[in-house]
Amino acid sequence: MTWRPSPEPGRYDRQRVAHLQPIKDVVSRLGLPPLRHRKITGILNALEMQIEDGGDSPDVNAFLLDALRAALRHQVAGGHLAVALQALDAWERTERTRWEQVRAGTLPPIELTPDERLDDLMQEGYQLLAARQRTAACDRWLEAWDLVKQLARPEMRTARAFDQAHPLFQSVFNWCQDLELELGNAGVKDPVYHEHRLRYAREFLAQFPDSDTSFWLNFTRAQGEALWRLGQRAEAEAVYAALVERFPTEAWGYIGWADEYWLLGDSPKAYDTAAAILQRALAQPDLRDRRDVLERLAELYGEWGKPQEQAAVTAQLARAQDQTGAAPLAPPVPAAPAQVIPPSRKPGRNAPCWCGSGKKYKLCHLDADRHPT
């Protein structure tokens, strides 16, 4: 016999698998010794695995069903056998009707739960990204976000709490950060995605207000970046100012703000304003990620053509690295005028991304830098 799989999509069909439950219930009530029970359930499990993801064959299923009947006749006797065989007959009739619908092309579509639909939308988005269809991926993911909002309950105050209530193949905790990033990348071609990013970042923090500091930093920065890209400078400034006021010891709030003036924005570059913001960060005695601020400031002075200031900052950075046992910084070299993301500035694949997201470069802007258009 040649196994010819059906043309069905390969996804979990809850209703079809549920039709096996009466057979399972009968087998569990037989009270067979463990060895006999294992033999019967082994065939039953093979039948379930065969059907649960579609793409199976009625001929193969019939062989497994015959094997299950034979096992029951060998292991069970009396009235118990009759009940078990009746359950098998009922399932076989259901399957026969289903395969007639498959052949006639009249099989109803599989009904998806909201969780299954959410999982599908997230996976479709990743597949579109792999095919370099970024805007289409973002569209799918915005649909997914609307579904997350529908499924979330007031007590789910973090993305992790949502994941615990809705255990999916794809973690919303991880995916939600990818959506924020890709909306920014899509906005390079179509500014409407900056608007989507702004709305999404606001909604996310409102939906999950107990998110940790890193989420508040990244999603608030996303709002500032989106507003800046949309030409709403005053509103963006207010967002960044509120961010550093709320988290005065978090370096990346200052870095994100300063970057707008010289690293991310268009000309003319306001090096003095950016430097003042970074110096404001360094004035915080308990600043986290101080070395990141020093590195950014040294880079800024190099591009600005301020070798003395760059040398002073580099000396501070070298002292900080010596105290932690890190490798010393190479002597400063005045930097040539730079583009937004010059090749000399791109980090290694496993180094932190230049944008300050906290992610590795390969998981963040690597693809966007390779394919800027």
Side-chain angles (χ1 to χ4, degrees), residues 295 298 310-311 313-315 317-318 321-322 326-334:
E295 288 176 354
Q310 184 188 31
V313 173
T314 300
L317 182 57
Q321 289 173 326
D322 286 342
L329 189 70
V333 177

Side-chain angles (χ1 to χ4, degrees), residues 25-41:
D25 292 341
V26 170
V27 171
S28 67
R29 293 194 299 265
L30 293 176
L32 296 173
L35 183 59
R36 292 185 178 184
H37 184 268
R38 188 178 67 179
K39 289 180 178 179
I40 291 177
T41 55

Side-chain angles (χ1 to χ4, degrees), residues 331-354:
V333 177
Q339 302 172 5
V340 174
I341 312 171
S344 60
R345 185 176 292 135
K346 293 178 184 176
R349 287 174 55 84
N350 292 308
C353 187
W354 56 264

Side-chain angles (χ1 to χ4, degrees), residues 192-246:
V192 73
Y193 288 95
H194 291 314
E195 298 176 9
H196 291 318
R197 187 187 189 198
L198 176 63
R199 173 182 61 83
Y200 167 64
R202 287 171 172 170
E203 289 179 351
F204 181 90
L205 294 177
Q207 187 70 62
F208 300 123
D210 290 349
S211 298
D212 61 26
T213 299
S214 65
F215 272 88
W216 276 94
L217 283 169
N218 289 340
F219 278 76
T220 306
R221 278 186 58 189
Q223 296 175 48
E225 290 176 8
L227 286 165
W228 206 287
R229 304 288 90 72
L230 291 168
Q232 302 177 40
R233 291 275 296 270
E235 293 87 342
E237 291 276 9
V239 167
Y240 283 118
L243 178 61
V244 300
E245 182 177 353
R246 178 171 180 174

Side-chain angles (χ1 to χ4, degrees), residues 177-198:
Q177 300 173 86
D178 293 334
L179 172 55
E180 181 271 309
L181 170 68
E182 294 303 339
L183 287 172
N185 290 335
V188 174
K189 284 187 175 181
D190 187 347
V192 73
Y193 288 95
H194 291 314
E195 298 176 9
H196 291 318
R197 187 187 189 198
L198 176 63

Side-chain angles (χ1 to χ4, degrees), residues 128-179:
L128 288 166
L129 275 182
R132 304 197 184 283
Q133 300 180 44
R134 178 170 282 119
T135 56
C138 287
D139 292 341
R140 290 288 195 286
W141 280 356
L142 288 171
E143 289 184 54
W145 171 243
D146 286 339
L147 195 49
V148 168
K149 291 186 294 182
Q150 295 174 30
L151 293 171
R153 297 290 178 265
E155 64 272 15
M156 302 174 195
R157 296 178 62 84
T158 66
R160 287 197 185 279
F162 182 93
D163 283 338
Q164 290 174 353
H166 299 275
L168 308 174
F169 176 79
Q170 174 63 47
S171 162
V172 168
F173 177 84
N174 292 324
W175 162 81
C176 65
Q177 300 173 86
D178 293 334
L179 172 55

Side-chain angles (χ1 to χ4, degrees), residues 291-309:
R291 285 188 297 176
D292 292 315
V293 178
L294 290 169
E295 288 176 354
R296 208 57 139 232
L297 190 57
E299 189 177 8
L300 183 154
Y301 282 138
E303 184 178 306
W304 193 8
K306 299 279 188 178
Q308 292 183 342
E309 289 83 349

